[in-house]
Amino acid sequence: MRPFAYVDERDVAGAAAAVHAAPGAMFLAGGTTLVDLMRQGVLAPDLLVDVHRLPLGDIELDDRRARIGACVRNAQLAEHPELRARWPVVGEALLSGMSPQLRNMSTVAGNILQRTRCSYYRDGHSPCNKRVPGSGCAAIGGHDRDHAILGAGPRCIAVFPSDLATALAILDAIVYTRRGDGGARRLPFDGFHLAPGDTPERETILDHGELVTHLELPTLAIARCSHYFKVGDRSSYSFALASAAVALDLERGIVRDARIALGGVATRPWRCPDAEQALRGKPAELSSFRAAADVALAGAVAGRHNGFKIDLARHVLVRALTELAARPR
Amino acid sequence: MATASRRIGGPGERVDAGLKVTGQARYAADVALPDLAHAAYLGSAIASGRVLAIDTTRAEQVGGVLLILTHHNRGPLGDLPNGDGTALAPDPRPPLADARVHYHGQFVAMVVAESPEQAAHAAALIGVTYEPAPCLVDIDDAEAIRLEDNPRRGDCAAALRAAPVALDVLYSTPVQHPCPLEPHATVAHWVGHDLVVHDSTQWVLGDRALLARAFGLADDRVRICAPFVGGSFGSKVCTAAHTLLAAVAARRLGRPVKSVLRREQVLATIGPRAATRQRIQLGAERDGRLVALRHHTRSHCAVNSGFPDRDPFHEPTSGVTRMLYACPNYEAVHDVVPLHLMKPGWMRAPGEATGLWALEGAMDELACRLGVDPLELRLRNHTAHNAHTGKPYAGEHLRECYERGAERFGWARRDPRPRSMREGDAFVGWGLATATHPGNSDDASVRVRLDRDSRGAYASVATAGVDLGTGLYTALAVVVADALELPLERVHVELGDSRLPPAPVTGGSNLTASLAPAARAACLQLRRRLLGFRRDPDELAAWGELLARAGLGPIEAVGAAEPRGVPGQYAYQSFGAQFVEVRVVPELGQVRVTRVVGVFDVGQVVNATATRNQLIGGILFGLGQALLERLVHDPARGVPVGADLAGYVIPAHADVPDIDVSWLDTPDPAFNALGCRGAGEIGITGVAAAIASAVHHATGIRVRDLPITPERLLAELAGERED
Ligand SMILES: Cc1cc2nc3c(=O)[nH]c(=O)nc-3n(C[C@H](O)[C@H](O)[C@H](O)COP(=O)(O)OP(=O)(O)OC[C@H]3O[C@@H](n4cnc5c(N)ncnc54)[C@H](O)[C@@H]3O)c2cc1C
Ligand code: SF4
């Protein structure tokens, strides 16, 4: 691990300014992504600005929205009773992954900014465009079993692994930030994460020194009827091989509106607007769900070992919709 | 005399539990010495080729760096013993021997610094220029070498041709890794010209012999301490490369050196379970009785295994296929496939875990083919002697294991048709397999000392044997408390120090079977000496009183393991039956084990808690083998993929089903005085085959390649839809 300086910031503007001023600086929250990657030599900041004690640790709720501080622990978010009633998909997504210890330690902002689990990225020395731009991609043509079938590009096929982000993708979430120069931004979650394209090293539209301060979930009637379903290699403590965040607005057995996003299979949180459209006006039954799943996976591209994810994601999505439609309401 | 306490086989508490849960048990990495320096390593970035140049300039400038070792300056090490029974080096060449690279992650440099962080940082700054050569890491892509000395009996080829029923199937297992929770760790320091090493090892005397040879010292100038080891599963038998380097560095610096491997270094530099490809050919009568069995195994070895001068390590798959079932004609053939990987080694039930996967899978297929119940097929092929040597088992109760297991599981209610049981959207299936492991024991000795204090007599027990977390502390305390009729808390056990009476490697499930009888023998000697001081043969006097009366201080005796019976007359083998229920959601490719019943005959059980723990742990190991574990290496570069505990997936608590283990109370008195065989490995054997059998019963899909992953099941289902 490279030596680094550390400051414990208590002031939001100060934290943003501190990172902004130093090109090699990074924010440190729970550290469950960052410290691992520093040990691996993948990330090598020379200054860590610790933000986990910033006054961004509260969840505020009113009729219009939930305002979630960036430093709220993932455990706190997962267990919040009112949130669970109004946006069940959020808690379900969080509880489907990590371990209790990790949820206690890690933060909401850290979660949506976590890095890929691509082994070639994490080993610190394989060719990897995300880690060392222009060095190539060892996963393409290599062991790509866990890699993306949606949104992949010729330079990077890494999955963005966050369960929480998959849930947020269907909730019209907003990310609020404070920039190093003192400005602030309000960023729709849709579009917050970038496709790998030519710059897989850039994962979000945040600028250097731009601090996430809050997440906002606007009140949505459809969100009350939402669900997260995930399949991993083992029964718990496992990243998704495929997952689906879904919400349904049903009236007398007909889908009035639907929200669908896929996780574990795409290079960024993957909302499926065409599949949602395919469901609208259809009876809430297996054949409609299957048809929507086919639409959702229509653009999927298989590599050498990850072709099974196309089928798996399709079945996972059908399962998520079926379970949700069967829920008493 | 105190009331007799029949503790053998009772539940008992774990005598070391308090130390462990309060953090007082000191593992190698916990050892803190004044002036301790810390090691870090740079692993090779190529899997095959040579190091052309190493630039350590930047690393040397890092504050706190004390020493950088490469093959240029590592200095001489003696010839390391291997395969002569005294000690084992994992790799025929000692670490940092020369410029050649044979696997990814092989150490190319070691840095020692004042802090672990400084050492790691400096190691990352070392620049290495390589001359890469093509690497081979896939067992299916490389050429095989046929080994000699293949066991056979009868005329297998002719019998296969003539058999009324024939089956010819290929089973495979991937590279797996023991991955114990405690990473491999060493603290080495020199006291004058003597070497003291705190090590995570299964074998303090093997470690001692190897280090003594490496440094040209007499054995008694080297001391190895391993009072607590946090799991091993075979991976701490050999003296690890980093242990040798830590001792080299400590001598060079005149300071103690601590070396703790990172998880990816454990996965890259500690020998894995070899990948296997196993072709099983069965010939049978129409009633299912076997007439011929041919077992052709390919397993991977390392390109630098030293073959043919040294054993290349071949995963001993045929050990179990040759002996398990009555079958007049048998032949095994073994090929090894050299790959650019770390030399493989033993992993819990080496040979049995892999060989039974193939044999029991094939037996299940034969049962389906013939329409015979798989349990009935096993009974028809049952033998009361070792099918290969012909020696009768001294104690053999496999039929009883099947019977009891079937009853506890409810096997009789099984509808043999695949897909005959459903629960919601899941298919439910039941499968079974035989479990077996040889009864092993070795020369071993235990010292028991009896002394008294104000509370009366107490015993101190000592041996070099190592407790890997398996329960040896408890087993020995129980045996001594029982033999001397002392309360358990009046027995103190000291383990894992090469200065204590010699004990064999903790491996092959041999340790309790070797040490428990030795401890008992020591106790009996003490009893004989003290009982002479009774006033008359009926007097009930406490040991403390007898000691006082004898005017003796502490008295001690060293007991040795004394196998009874005529050597060579009997075969000793443990058996069991594994019954498994799975739920399979086919379209999710998901297999969940919901129920396991295992019934075992392991001879006399010394401590029920530890035995349960070992058997359940073994079954979970089998579950990991069946459904999750495989260490993949990148085909082009040979780098391990996912070399951490998020990538190398082992079962989590949520994967643990309802496991019902039990054992027959069947001492094997011909084996040793206590009649106990080990229970450390048999639990894993047969589990993977039983799970695959249950998956077949649930879905009709036959999986012959481990692990049984979603992609395999989904591929089969996709195939079905196209048919
Ligand atoms: C073993 C293991 C298993 C896991 N399993 C899962 C799983 O199943 N599903 C899943 O979704 N995730 C999983 N994770 C990932 C986990 O969710 C993330 O590690 C965690 O949420 C990161 O949060 P943190 O607070 O620790 O972030 P940190 O590690 O502190 O930071 C992560 C990144 O975010 C940046 N950052 C942090 N806070 C801010 C801020 N306020 N503004 C701007 N930038 C910021 C940091 O600079 C860094 O780049 C797992 C992680 C581990 C180690
Ligand atoms: S998939 Fe992306 S992260 Fe993985 S090696 Fe390729 S470029 Fe790097």
Side-chain angles (χ1 to χ4, degrees):
Chain A
M1 193 192 275
R2 204 166 85 174
F4 56 89
Y6 171 90
V7 290
D8 181 11
E9 265 295 342
R10 305 297 168 98
D11 173 64
V12 170
V19 171
H20 183 71
M26 289 183 79
F27 299 113
L28 172 72
T32 61
T33 284
L34 183 49
V35 175
D36 275 11
L37 291 174
M38 287 170 67
R39 288 215 183 99
Q40 294 293 119
V42 174
L43 297 176
D46 45 34
L47 170 65
L48 286 185
V49 176
D50 192 341
V51 298
H52 92 276
R53 290 193 189 84
L54 293 181
L56 300 173
D58 295 324
I59 301 174
E60 296 158 32
L61 280 157
D62 59 33
D63 291 348
R64 290 178 302 120
R65 58 169 192 179
R67 199 172 134 85
I68 301 158
C71 300
V72 165
R73 303 288 164 160
N74 284 307
Q76 209 184 328
L77 186 64
E79 283 145 24
H80 196 286
E82 194 178 337
L83 257 154
R84 289 184 78 159
R86 287 166 63 182
W87 295 272
V89 67
V90 171
E92 289 180 25
L94 286 168
L95 293 174
S96 77
M98 297 191 259
S99 61
Q101 293 91 331
L102 280 161
R103 282 193 295 271
N104 286 337
M105 193 76 193
S106 61
T107 64
V108 170
N111 194 330
I112 62 169
L113 293 168
Q114 66 176 282
R115 300 302 200 279
T116 181
R117 306 305 294 188
C118 171
S119 165
Y120 300 105
Y121 169 77
R122 300 179 69 87
D123 70 20
H125 49 72
S126 293
C128 170
N129 290 325
K130 195 186 273 299
R131 179 164 32 75
V132 181
S135 63
C137 170
I140 297 176
H143 190 75
D144 59 3
R145 187 237 183 196
D146 296 332
H147 287 75
I149 50 171
L150 290 166
R155 288 175 190 262
C156 178
I157 57 171
V159 161
F160 179 67
S162 168
D163 292 305
L164 174 64
T166 308
L168 296 177
I170 62 166
L171 298 177
D172 300 341
I174 312 283
V175 180
Y176 288 88
T177 70
R178 174 68 68 92
R179 293 161 71 100
D181 60 11
R185 290 209 284 176
R186 178 183 183 280
L187 305 166
F189 194 72
D190 186 17
F192 180 78
H193 293 89
L194 296 169
D198 287 337
T199 52
E201 72 278 10
R202 264 204 93 198
E203 301 196 327
T204 68
I205 57 173
L206 292 182
D207 291 326
H208 180 69
E210 187 165 5
L211 179 78
V212 174
T213 57
H214 295 89
L215 274 182
E216 185 181 292
L217 302 181
T219 298
L220 278 180
I222 194 173
R224 281 192 174 267
C225 179
S226 63
H227 178 40
Y228 194 75
F229 181 75
K230 162 172 165 179
V231 170
D233 278 311
R234 61 184 160 203
S235 309
S236 76
Y237 198 24
S238 190
F239 288 95
L241 287 170
S243 67
V246 293
L248 286 173
D249 175 3
L250 302 179
E251 196 180 63
R252 270 180 256 110
I254 302 294
V255 178
R256 218 161 38 179
D257 195 9
R259 300 279 179 111
I260 296 173
L262 294 174
V265 290
T267 50
R268 56 190 173 81
W270 197 259
R271 178 102 182 248
C272 307
D274 295 345
E276 294 172 0
Q277 184 53 34
L279 261 185
R280 287 189 194 107
K282 299 283 167 12
E285 60 189 32
L286 196 57
S287 58
S288 320
F289 299 156
R290 285 196 175 139
D294 287 342
V295 172
L297 275 302
V301 179
R304 285 164 64 133
H305 304 285
N306 60 357
F308 74 101
K309 282 186 166 189
I310 300 179
D311 251 358
L312 184 61
R314 204 182 270 136
H315 295 309
V316 161
L317 176 52
V318 171
R319 167 70 65 117
L321 290 165
T322 311
E323 286 184 357
L324 182 59
R327 254 187 210 172
R329 76 202 75 235
Chain B
M1 201 133 315
T3 22
S5 54
R6 283 302 300 169
R7 286 199 194 83
I8 304 262
E13 74 248 46
R14 282 186 87 109
V15 298
D16 50 345
L19 288 180
K20 287 187 173 172
V21 298
T22 56
Q24 293 178 75
R26 294 266 162 230
Y27 294 79
D30 297 329
V31 171
L33 293 171
D35 218 20
L36 193 58
H38 298 266
Y41 302 90
L42 179 67
S44 167
I46 61 170
S48 167
R50 301 171 58 80
V51 171
L52 292 181
I54 302 187
D55 179 1
T56 56
T57 333
R58 287 175 68 207
E60 282 158 21
Q61 285 156 8
V62 172
V65 168
L66 301 166
L67 175 69
I68 299 179
L69 289 181
T70 68
H71 66 276
H72 293 302
N73 67 342
R74 187 260 276 144
L77 281 176
D79 196 23
L80 305 183
N82 200 349
D84 63 1
T86 59
L88 282 159
D91 198 322
R93 286 182 314 147
L96 303 181
D98 54 42
R100 286 175 295 163
V101 173
H102 291 303
Y103 60 91
H104 198 284
Q106 176 189 320
F107 296 147
V108 294
M110 175 200 209
V111 180
V112 186
E114 297 287 350
S115 78
E117 292 80 9
Q118 290 165 334
H121 176 48
L125 293 179
I126 295 174
V128 184
T129 316
Y130 299 96
E131 178 184 74
C135 77
L136 279 173
V137 292
D138 187 338
I139 186 173
D140 296 318
D141 288 349
E143 269 184 44
I145 305 169
R146 177 72 39 101
L147 297 182
E148 283 156 19
D149 270 351
N150 288 310
R152 61 173 67 211
R153 59 179 184 269
D155 183 344
C156 201
L160 276 174
R161 276 193 305 273
V165 184
L167 190 86
D168 185 349
V169 284
L170 189 65
Y171 278 77
S172 80
T173 62
V175 179
Q176 281 185 274
H177 205 283
C179 233
L181 204 55
E182 180 205 20
H184 298 60
T186 297
V187 173
H189 70 125
W190 292 81
V191 181
H193 293 294
D194 292 2
L195 174 61
V196 181
V197 175
H198 304 267
D199 200 13
S200 46
T201 173
Q202 294 172 246
W203 190 17
V204 290
L205 295 183
D207 240 14
R208 183 179 74 172
L210 189 124
L211 289 164
R213 289 266 282 277
F215 292 98
L217 298 170
D219 276 358
D220 62 0
R221 310 295 298 277
V222 179
R223 178 178 181 192
I224 312 292
C225 303
F228 293 97
V229 173
S232 168
F233 314 115
S235 73
K236 293 170 182 171
V237 174
C238 297
T239 299
H242 80 111
T243 303
L244 267 167
L245 291 177
V248 171
R251 181 152 77 170
R252 200 71 78 80
L253 291 171
R255 288 174 65 167
V257 170
K258 179 186 284 192
S259 168
V260 182
L261 292 189
R262 299 166 52 89
R263 183 58 63 182
E264 84 251 19
Q265 291 169 338
V266 171
L267 284 160
T269 71
I270 301 294
R273 194 199 293 281
T276 71
R277 302 291 181 264
Q278 303 178 57
R279 182 179 176 195
I280 299 267
Q281 290 166 277
L282 295 181
E285 302 287 359
R286 297 210 182 280
D287 65 2
R289 275 179 301 129
L290 295 177
V291 293
L293 166 52
R294 187 168 187 279
H295 185 191
H296 180 181
T297 301
R298 273 184 303 138
S299 66
H300 95 260
C301 69
V303 286
N304 67 328
S305 63
F307 186 76
D309 301 336
R310 290 172 187 253
D311 172 23
F313 191 89
H314 69 288
E315 171 75 12
T317 47
S318 74
V320 62
T321 56
R322 72 184 73 155
M323 52 62 62
L324 184 55
Y325 294 119
C327 179
N329 302 290
Y330 175 86
E331 183 184 9
V333 180
H334 202 115
D335 301 333
V336 287
V337 181
L339 297 179
H340 291 100
L341 297 178
M342 174 62 198
K343 187 179 178 185
W346 300 269
M347 177 164 158
R348 205 171 191 176
E352 291 86 17
T354 41
L356 276 178
W357 159 245
L359 175 61
E360 289 297 88
M363 288 296 276
D364 197 63
E365 294 197 55
L366 183 63
C368 288
R369 173 86 69 83
L370 296 170
V372 175
D373 181 89
L375 176 50
E376 175 58 28
L377 184 72
R378 270 40 172 223
L379 294 174
R380 286 183 193 169
N381 286 290
H382 176 261
T383 165
H385 52 259
N386 180 307
H388 200 60
T389 63
K391 284 184 197 170
Y393 295 119
E396 187 278 318
H397 307 274
L398 177 55
R399 284 167 181 277
E400 226 176 308
C401 294
Y402 287 138
E403 243 167 62
R404 256 213 227 174
E407 197 184 301
R408 294 180 83 94
F409 189 82
W411 184 259
R413 295 195 308 275
R414 179 176 182 265
D415 177 341
R417 290 167 306 151
R419 302 197 181 189
S420 53
M421 292 193 285
R422 292 194 71 139
E423 221 180 280
D425 54 359
F427 292 103
V428 178
W430 291 358
L432 68 80
T434 307
T436 190
H437 193 269
N440 292 327
S441 68
D442 278 296
D443 291 345
S445 49
V446 177
R447 184 180 66 220
V448 181
R449 175 196 302 244
L450 195 59
D451 201 351
R452 69 197 154 91
D453 60 16
S454 57
R455 291 163 54 208
Y458 66 91
S460 309
V461 186
T463 167
V466 177
D467 188 333
L468 308 170
T470 45
L472 184 63
Y473 278 102
T474 305
L476 291 184
V478 163
V479 167
V480 169
D482 181 72
L484 294 178
E485 294 155 49
L486 290 171
L488 202 57
E489 65 276 8
R490 299 295 284 168
V491 181
H492 310 289
V493 183
E494 196 187 345
L495 296 176
D497 185 330
S498 60
R499 293 191 170 174
L500 300 177
V505 58
T506 306
S509 303
N510 68 349
L511 211 62
T512 306
S514 310
L515 291 175
R520 190 177 150 83
C523 294
L524 296 184
Q525 289 179 43
L526 294 178
R527 287 182 68 111
R528 276 195 294 274
R529 279 170 68 185
L530 279 181
L531 288 176
F533 293 96
R534 286 176 304 186
R535 293 217 175 79
D536 64 76
D538 295 327
E539 187 199 354
L540 293 172
W543 296 123
E545 208 177 309
L546 290 181
L547 275 176
R549 200 180 290 165
L552 290 173
I555 61 168
E556 65 177 47
V558 176
E562 10 175 3
R564 272 204 211 155
V566 185
Q569 183 187 344
Y570 290 115
Y572 305 103
Q573 189 85 18
S574 291
F575 290 99
Q578 310 266 24
F579 293 80
V580 165
E581 177 182 274
V582 298
R583 285 172 53 107
V584 184
V585 183
E587 72 270 19
L588 301 179
Q590 213 176 32
V591 178
R592 296 291 179 242
V593 178
T594 44
R595 205 152 63 88
V596 180
V597 172
V599 179
F600 302 91
D601 161 30
V602 291
Q604 172 70 54
V605 161
V606 174
N607 175 254
T609 309
T611 302
R612 267 182 67 75
N613 168 302
Q614 283 300 301
L615 292 173
I616 290 176
I619 288 170
L620 281 180
F621 228 75
L623 193 150
Q625 182 194 22
L627 301 180
L628 300 170
E629 293 178 46
R630 63 175 156 187
L631 185 59
V632 178
H633 294 86
D634 177 74
R637 298 171 42 260
V639 52
V641 178
D644 56 34
L645 285 176
Y648 187 81
V649 186
I650 56 175
H653 283 100
D655 297 302
V656 179
D658 169 18
I659 301 179
D660 167 17
V661 294
S662 58
W663 47 84
L664 313 175
D665 286 312
T666 43
D668 190 346
F671 186 49
N672 58 39
L674 278 161
C676 63
R677 298 185 297 258
E681 290 166 283
I682 189 168
I684 174 176
T685 69
V687 172
I691 290 175
S693 152
V695 167
H696 178 261
H697 184 230
T699 62
I701 296 171
R702 178 69 65 184
V703 182
R704 301 190 185 90
D705 304 300
L706 289 180
I708 306 171
T709 52
E711 55 263 45
R712 292 201 211 283
L713 291 179
L714 287 164
E716 292 286 340
L717 285 168
E720 254 175 45
R721 275 199 299 271
E722 275 152 28
D723 295 344

